[in-house]
């Protein structure tokens, strides 16, 4: 996760990070979680594979054809929450599928709140009416990340394969705002929507989003079939990053923060732009990024539990060899703390030797070799170069 805004407007953030290094779980502000030394991870929990949409690029291949068979029961899910609370997990992000299609979602959220665990929601937004927004708030869910894949209905609805999805998602932002639920825009940037990035940022500001989170496509789920067709080239990526940098620089950080996900090497572009600007925040930004100790959070600061209880290093690392275990067999905490599990060891070892351009890249100490899921999916080799890396390319 590349936190552009915190690096650009970061004076005071470094000292705040250091103060919270050894703080208890409940004492760490959400904005600092990525920089703490805690390896009690933020858990992305696919509570269901059911979804009312069938998006072209869905990493989980969710849709109406999913029946919910095999999903953890309410009792099983509450047992998991008990374990996550004892482990000191700082945040559970309920995702899917469409998490609002799980009937007991709010029961789970309230249970997590009672156990002292913060929760957030990752949703397509189409099911959020004013009444639903009130239920989200009343369940203690503090934030809803809502997907927008275009600044126009034509683009967004094409991605979501559902006419009217754009209007329903835009309405969700208003409903959440009225209910007092903080929201953010989540966009996966591809060849089919990259031209609308500037307009999408302006739209996000108008609808009151507090966060603009740009995801890069990862070849998993339905996204694997569409990957070669939709993935951006190096010049398109650096153009998008430059636009995000300019917008983040111009935008009051209290109004909206900017970040990118799924390409740890984005920090190289950020530091280069700050250096060119002679930014007063450059030294703090370098310290913040160095504190991440190798970029990617998979298997350390991030974990994924799927609808059936399988544990993965992140929500995109879904190849069979990356499965660390199942909560029906062993508690999450026991699996996460087991250093002998090959899948976790792969992602946690920051000193391995990579091949290709990642092998001798001078930026590796910052990015940690980019996204290993892309390397594995594209080359069949976990240690190969990240094919998405634009560093040094035109």
């Amino acid at each position: 996760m590349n936190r552009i805004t915190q690096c650009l407007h970061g004076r005071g953030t470094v000292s705040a990070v250091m103060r919270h290094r050894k703080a208890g779980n409940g004492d760490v502000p959400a904005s600092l979680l990525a920089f703490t030394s805690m390896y009690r991870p933020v858990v992305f929990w696919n509570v269901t594979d059911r979804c009312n949409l069938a998006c072209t690029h869905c990493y989980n291949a969710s849709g109406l054809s999913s029946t919910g068979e095999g999903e953890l029961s309410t009792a099983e899910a509450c047992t998991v929450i008990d374990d996550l609370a004892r482990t000191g997990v700082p945040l559970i992000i309920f995702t899917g599928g469409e998490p609002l299609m799980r009937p007991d979602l709010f029961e789970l959220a309230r249970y997590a709140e009672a156990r002292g665990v913060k929760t957030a929601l990752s949703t397509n937004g189409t099911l959020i009416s004013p009444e639903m927004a009130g239920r989200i708030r009343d369940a203690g869910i503090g934030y809803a990340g809502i997907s927008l894949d275009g600044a126009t209905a034509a683009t967004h609805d094409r991605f979501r394969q559902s006419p009217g999805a754009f209007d329903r998602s835009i309405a969700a932002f208003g409903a959440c705002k009225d209910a007092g639920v903080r929201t953010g825009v989540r966009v996966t940037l591809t060849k089919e929507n990259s031209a609308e990035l500037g307009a999408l940022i302006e739209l996000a500001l108008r609808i009151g989003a507090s966060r603009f989170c740009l995801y890069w496509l990862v070849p998993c789920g339905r996204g694997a079939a569409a990957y070669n067709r939709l993935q951006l080239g190096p010049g398109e990526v650096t153009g998008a990053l430059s636009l995000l940098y300019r917008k983040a620089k111009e935008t009051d950080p209290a109004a909206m923060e900017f970040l990118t996900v799924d390409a740890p090497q984005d920090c190289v572009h950020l530091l280069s732009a700050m250096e060119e600007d002679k930014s007063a925040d450059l030294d703090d930004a370098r310290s913040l990024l160095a504190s991440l100790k190798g970029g990617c959070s998979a298997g350390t600061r991030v974990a994924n539990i799927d609808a059936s209880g399988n544990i993965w290093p992140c929500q995109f690392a879904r190849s069979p060899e990356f499965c660390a275990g199942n909560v029906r067999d062993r508690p999450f905490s026991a699996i996460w703390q087991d250093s002998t599990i090959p899948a976790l060891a792969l992602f946690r070892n920051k000193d391995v030797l990579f091949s290709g351009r990642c092998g001798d890249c001078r930026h590796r100490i910052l990015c940690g070799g980019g996204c290993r899921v892309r390397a594995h999916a594209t080359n069949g080799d976990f240690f190969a170069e990240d094919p998405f890396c634009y560093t040094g390319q035109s």
Side-chain angles (χ1 to χ4, degrees), residues 81 85 92 94 107-119:
I81 291 170
I92 296 170
F94 293 120
E107 180 180 349
L108 299 182
R110 286 190 294 271
Y111 191 78
E113 182 182 37
R115 298 290 280 112
V117 183
K118 297 175 183 177
T119 60

Side-chain angles (χ1 to χ4, degrees), residues 198-216:
L200 191 50
I201 292 170
E202 295 303 319
L203 175 60
L205 286 165
R206 287 198 305 274
I207 60 180
S210 64
R211 172 179 287 184
F212 190 90
C213 187
L214 187 150
Y215 285 75
W216 301 111

